[in-house]
Amino acid sequence: MAKLVAVDVHDVRFPTSRELHGSDAMNPDPDYSAAYVVLRTSDGPDGHGFAFTIGRGNEVQCAAIRALAPALVGRDVEEICADLGRVYFDLVDDSQFRWLGPEKGLMHMAIGAVVNAVWDLAGRRAGLPVWKLLADLTPEQIVGLVDWRYLRDALTPEEALDLLKEAEPGRAAREERLRTHGLAAYTTTPGWLGYDDETVDRLSRQAVADGFGQIKLKVGRDVEDDRRRLGVARRAVGPDVRIAVDANQCWDVAESVRWVDRLRDFDLWWVEEPTSPDDVLGHAAIRRGIAPIRVATGEHAQNRVIVKQLLQAGAIDVLQPDAARVGGVNENVAILLLAAKFGVPVCPHAGGVGLCELVQHLAMFDEVAVAGHRPDRVVEYVDHLHEHFVDPVRIVAGAYAAPTAPGMSAELLPETLADYRYPDGPVWAGSPAPAGTGGVVGDEGGSGSWPSGVAVGG
């Protein structure tokens, strides 16, 4: 019998702050990072997953994942893959780890990384990409993946089963459409707040040439600066391409409405994360205040309960779940079912490092087996760091092409693990420390994360 024999964890960081990739009003100097986990099996293949962070603190996220290893090592691989809810339920229900949340924060993200690695493992052993593995499950099997605690006042298992059975007859046709046309994407590549006007103009024009029908710009630092940059982008893409904006949580509720009023003449498609991701009633007030401009959020929603409340309160027009924020595939299945019940389109958050690779599987499962085809669904795409993955995303004419390789597309190349290992990989060793830390990476007392002598890394 194949056993899970080890849980390897790697602190992998990319120095994206050096060129301000990923910069926004709340996160001006991110170093895209992965707390990367490999579930080693006695017979192969292995399972790969990660939690996404933006630099400092990635070592803490790694430590949280390592803490889960004793609950995993020694388990029977076939039993894990035969019951793809078991690891999720076991880890979420560990009372002592649960106390650190419950179901939020570092431990919940750690559980998500492990659960996604389990799905990657199951896909590899079945010879299927995870979107297809999910889409081939029966409605009863899909409902069985979900923890229904706290959800039944908004969606019952019986309602979810009816919803999935209603979608079942059209699965084959939607899968064929997906394989032929892909899944529509939008790009945030032109929109980072640290880019100058020439870069915004060039990348916006390139986005249109590449077939994207929507771009997104970061806003929120200075309203006149936002107006100037939006003017550059609107002139570059013309009147028919959608422009969304993302404030990354930087405004209060009333400030959100005032700020968006100043930007109305640029025909905004949605305003993303205008305020705290936990402020359900605040989002509802903003939605009323800026209509008909849409409100989008969800990438920092810490669990399915926050999503439930956003939907119940009529607080959002677009839901943007994150594959690596909540408890992995299982909790995201619950979130997709909730969105389908409330008729809200799911446009997943991506970008980062590897998030595009992960979220495409969730969005394609939603397309085929849950909500069906929706012309208002677009999946975020950012053209950064894909070259580091064994099975990177493929964008064709502004759409995600359906992955065909087994698994969840999460595996990093071995040379990436070696080169970008923090703090002693060649990319980091002896280099300037990340912004705001001082010193030199690897120097005594100047690691950028911990004093000398505190262990980090894989």
Side-chain angles (χ1 to χ4, degrees), residues 421-434:
R421 183 180 64 247
Y422 188 87
D424 57 344
V427 170
W428 291 105
S431 66

Side-chain angles (χ1 to χ4, degrees), residues 335-422:
I335 287 168
L336 294 175
L337 290 168
L338 283 164
K341 160 72 181 295
F342 284 86
V344 171
V346 174
C347 300
H349 170 248
V353 53
L355 296 182
C356 295
E357 277 71 19
L358 295 187
V359 298
Q360 61 182 337
H361 291 273
L362 299 173
M364 291 175 185
F365 162 63
D366 190 31
E367 172 95 355
V368 173
V370 184
H373 177 68
R374 297 191 60 144
D376 52 356
R377 177 198 286 112
V378 283
V379 182
E380 186 172 21
Y381 174 73
V382 179
D383 189 19
H384 298 313
L385 305 176
H386 304 295
E387 67 274 14
H388 297 286
F389 286 84
V390 172
D391 180 31
V393 295
R394 293 180 299 122
I395 298 292
V396 180
Y400 278 85
T404 57
M408 204 174 177
S409 311
E411 184 178 3
L412 285 168
L413 294 166
E415 53 267 34
T416 291
L417 291 180
D419 291 345
Y420 292 87
R421 183 180 64 247
Y422 188 87

Side-chain angles (χ1 to χ4, degrees), residues 22 32 183-192 212 214-218 244-246 248 270 272-273 299 319-322 346-352 354-360 363 377-384 386 393 395 398-400:
Y32 282 171
L183 201 59
Y186 74 92
T187 181
T188 309
T189 299
W192 305 120
F212 292 100
Q214 179 175 325
I215 66 171
K216 186 171 76 183
L217 268 62
K218 302 293 185 171
V245 296
D246 186 354
N248 290 98
W270 74 53
E272 182 173 329
E273 281 204 311
E299 70 180 83
L319 179 60
Q320 299 173 301
D322 185 293
V346 174
C347 300
H349 170 248
L355 296 182
C356 295
E357 277 71 19
L358 295 187
V359 298
Q360 61 182 337
R377 177 198 286 112
V378 283
V379 182
E380 186 172 21
Y381 174 73
V382 179
D383 189 19
H384 298 313
H386 304 295
V393 295
I395 298 292
Y400 278 85

Side-chain angles (χ1 to χ4, degrees), residues 7 21 29-30 50 62 88 101 189 200 336 374 377 407 455:
V7 177
H21 302 317
D29 54 2
F50 55 84
C62 287
Y88 169 77
T189 299
V200 173
L336 294 175
R374 297 191 60 144
R377 177 198 286 112

Side-chain angles (χ1 to χ4, degrees), residues 264-287:
R264 283 184 181 274
D265 46 334
F266 297 101
D267 190 22
L268 304 182
W269 184 246
W270 74 53
V271 175
E272 182 173 329
E273 281 204 311
T275 194
S276 165
D278 298 331
D279 191 352
V280 173
L281 298 182
H283 277 89
I286 293 167
R287 185 178 182 229

Side-chain angles (χ1 to χ4, degrees), residues 50-126:
F50 55 84
F52 169 65
T53 78
I54 61 169
R56 289 187 297 279
N58 199 53
E59 71 283 355
V60 184
Q61 186 65 72
C62 287
I65 296 172
R66 289 193 190 96
L68 300 174
L72 301 165
V73 173
R75 295 180 76 143
D76 183 276
V77 174
E78 293 302 324
E79 288 183 0
I80 288 173
C81 294
D83 184 355
L84 285 164
R86 190 71 269 148
V87 168
Y88 169 77
F89 291 126
D90 288 348
L91 295 179
V92 168
D93 284 342
D94 183 297
S95 65
Q96 295 183 8
F97 285 137
R98 184 178 176 82
W99 186 264
L100 301 177
E103 297 186 54
K104 53 180 173 281
L106 283 166
M107 289 313 304
H108 205 48
M109 289 174 67
I111 289 169
V114 169
V115 168
N116 285 342
V118 165
W119 280 89
D120 181 70
L121 174 64
R124 289 166 184 270
R125 295 183 78 87

